[in-house]
Amino acid sequence: ADSYAYAINNLDQIVGSSYMNSQGLTHGFIYEGGVMKDINDLTQPNSYGPISACKDINDVGQIICSRRSNNGFYRAE
């Protein structure tokens, strides 16, 4: 799977996007402790669709992400 890292914090947590599913859509991820996790498995489902990318993370673990809605527009969260 192709993955793209966008940010790392001082705790060595890395966020980005990855082609993690069979539909060929990107999902946001967090990588920590040698394990990559789909951020959608760690958050509540949303009517806007899955989180497609995680763009930044601060040193307390707060992450800025984006979702791609059904109409093709992106929404920051």
Side-chain angles (χ1 to χ4, degrees):
D2 290 335
S3 300
Y4 304 92
Y6 294 117
I8 184 171
N9 65 12
N10 288 321
L11 302 172
D12 294 329
Q13 296 171 309
I14 301 168
V15 295
S17 65
S18 180
Y19 290 96
M20 300 175 84
N21 64 25
S22 60
Q23 291 103 7
L25 301 173
T26 61
H27 276 209
F29 73 83
I30 182 167
Y31 179 88
E32 58 185 340
V35 178
M36 179 189 268
K37 299 174 189 170
D38 185 334
I39 203 75
N40 292 285
D41 294 338
L42 306 173
T43 59
Q44 294 292 324
N46 186 302
S47 62
Y48 286 100
I51 294 173
S52 56
C54 296
K55 298 292 190 170
D56 205 359
I57 185 168
N58 65 18
D59 290 336
V60 293
Q62 296 170 318
I63 303 170
I64 296 175
C65 298
S66 62
R67 292 183 192 267
R68 184 167 186 236
S69 65
N70 294 334
N71 61 10
F73 292 101
Y74 287 89
R75 167 189 165 108
E77 296 194 11

